[in-house]
């Protein structure tokens, strides 16, 4: 079992920045690949960005590439999502997710993830 708790959401103006954190507990953190997903009202959940279990690989969706970065601190059992140049279309509930994985690769498929946080709201508006 892995418990995930997101924090850091809020209201930010277009062009601004925000950093989300996701604290994990319950399992060796370095054995799980991590990902961030988001869901806007009326839309399906979508993959945003992911990181491999040792942090050596990351992959971002085209919609956030060059603006969002993901990192992890396995000593602190925490993964971070740094969001820069935020746009109104980034408004959504952001979820972190975890999946135990043997290989040190990014997992981009939402259905592969086994554990999910409760989500944190990010609103980009002037």
């Amino acid at each position: 079992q892995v418990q995930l708790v997101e924090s850091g959401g809020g209201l930010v103006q277009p062009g601004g920045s925000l950093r989300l954190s996701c604290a994990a507990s319950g399992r060796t953190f370095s054995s799980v690949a991590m990902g961030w997903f988001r869901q806007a009202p009326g839309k399906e959940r979508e993959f945003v960005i992911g990181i491999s279990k040792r942090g050596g690989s990351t992959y971002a969706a085209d919609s956030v590439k060059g603006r969002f970065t993901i990192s992890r601190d396995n000593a602190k059992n925490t993964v971070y999502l740094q969001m820069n140049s935020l746009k109104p279309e980034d408004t959504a509930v952001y979820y972190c997710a975890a999946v135990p994985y043997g290989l040190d690769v990014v997992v981009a498929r939402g259905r592969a993830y086994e554990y999910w946080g409760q989500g944190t709201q990010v609103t980009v508006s002037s």
Side-chain angles (χ1 to χ4, degrees):
Q1 286 281 352
V2 178
Q3 292 78 42
L4 302 170
V5 179
E6 302 100 333
S7 61
L11 173 64
V12 62
Q13 293 187 344
S17 297
L18 210 57
R19 188 175 84 154
L20 305 183
S21 299
C22 174
S25 62
R27 188 186 176 109
T28 303
F29 188 62
S30 59
S31 69
V32 297
M34 298 293 297
W36 286 95
F37 294 77
R38 67 186 181 187
Q39 187 166 22
K43 295 188 176 181
E44 293 187 356
R45 182 184 65 197
E46 64 174 353
F47 171 81
V48 176
I49 194 166
I51 189 166
S52 61
K53 63 181 182 178
R54 298 194 187 99
S57 299
T58 65
Y59 176 77
D62 287 344
S63 58
V64 305
K65 202 165 289 185
R67 301 187 298 122
F68 290 14
T69 57
I70 187 172
S71 61
R72 65 189 295 161
D73 186 337
N74 285 355
K76 295 183 178 180
N77 289 0
T78 302
V79 64
Y80 305 97
L81 174 60
Q82 178 66 44
M83 304 184 291
N84 299 327
S85 302
L86 282 161
K87 306 175 181 179
E89 50 264 43
D90 295 318
T91 296
V93 177
Y94 283 72
Y95 300 90
C96 70
V99 57
Y101 215 77
L103 301 176
D104 189 31
V105 297
V106 176
V107 179
R109 191 164 59 94
R111 291 185 177 184
Y113 282 83
E114 296 183 19
Y115 307 101
W116 295 82
Q118 82 287 352
T120 185
Q121 177 70 46
V122 172
T123 302
V124 184
S125 175
S126 56

